[in-house]
Structures are given as C-alpha cells and as structure tokens.
Amino acid sequence: MDHPATDPPVPDEILRRLRNVRLLGLDVDGVLTDGRLVYGPNDAEFKAFHVQDGSAMKRLMASGVPIAIVTGRTSDAVARRTSELGVPYLYAGVADKLATLEELAARSGVALDDMAYAGDDLADLAVFGRVGVFLGVPNGHPDVIRQADFVTSNPGGFGAVREICYLVIAARST
C-alpha cells in the first residue's frame, strides 16, 4: 500500500524507524481532534473526530499494530470513540505521559524504542527521545514541531492520524 503524499516527503531514516513500530501512541486534543473544546448545557463536552482517522486506525490495528490513546483530559467522547474503534489501550487523565508509556511498555511487552507517539503540546515533549519515533502535527506547539522527528502534512483533527497510520503501514510493508 502506498502512503499518502506528504509535503515535505518522509525522510528515509524516518521510514526506517517507522518500520520497527509495534505500537502507536496518540494524544487526543490537537492530534485526534483540532484541539477545540466545545461545551454544551448540562456539562456536555463535544469533540469532533475525523472519520478517516478512525478508518486508518482500524486498518493499522488490523495490520498488527495496536494503538494507545494517552490524554491529559478525561472525556466520555474519547472513551466512546476509543471503544467504537476497538483501541485496546486508553489512558485518560494522564499527568505524566512518559510514566504512562513506560507502564504501557511493561503491560504490552512493547519497548519504548518500538513505539511511535504523536503529540502536539508541551506535555507530550516528555516522551521525545524516549520512543522510537516522535511525531508532531503542524498545528502543534512550536517546541513540539521543532523537536518532532517528523511533522505531518495534515493538521490534528483533519487527517493527521490517518497520515501517520498509513505511513506506519507503508513502512512496515517494505
């Protein structure tokens, strides 16, 4: 399967590292969503997820790469979306994302070096240099963009996760 065209193209070194990915970690607000929080009456919170991200996540998991959602917030919408997609790991209300990924490594048997993680904000930087591939999105914090191993063409909430999933699938099939 060819991966979607990216601008700039994915460097060979990043594709080589993506080939070893055995688990994908994803932040939610700003990666799976555009980062906006919408509040309604009676404490309702709304989030918009891109259907193509979900389709690509299912495809990645079907290829043998599980996904972990690691988010600082707790949200019924995230729990519902995670369940609908069959995502095996959900860590919500997380204060220390690195400690959570270390716990996930022990639980899943997948070393941090064999994980990719996509984030957009300062809390995500704790995993930079600790996972095999640290991915950013163009709508992320400038420090995340600067330190990311690769930044997607598509912004969070608008196909960034789809792009990531297809890149991992393509890299692992070569």
Side-chain angles (χ1 to χ4, degrees), residues 59-120:
R59 193 170 206 149
L60 180 64
M61 290 184 293
S63 79
V65 178
I67 292 174
I69 303 298
V70 183
T71 179
R73 296 179 47 82
T74 301
S75 165
D76 291 340
V78 172
R80 178 178 173 187
R81 186 66 173 150
T82 300
S83 176
E84 286 175 351
L85 295 174
V87 172
Y89 304 105
L90 171 60
Y91 294 91
V94 169
D96 184 341
K97 292 191 177 187
L98 178 57
T100 299
L101 288 182
E102 288 170 338
E103 176 187 322
L104 177 60
R107 179 177 171 193
S108 68
V110 176
L112 289 175
D113 285 346
D114 294 329
M115 292 183 191
Y117 179 84
D120 73 308

Side-chain angles (χ1 to χ4, degrees), residues 29-30 33-39 45-48 73 139 158:
D29 296 317
T33 73
D34 64 8
R36 293 183 298 157
L37 299 174
V38 181
Y39 296 111
E45 180 180 320
F46 303 96
K47 292 184 185 289
R73 296 179 47 82
N139 54 309
F158 295 97

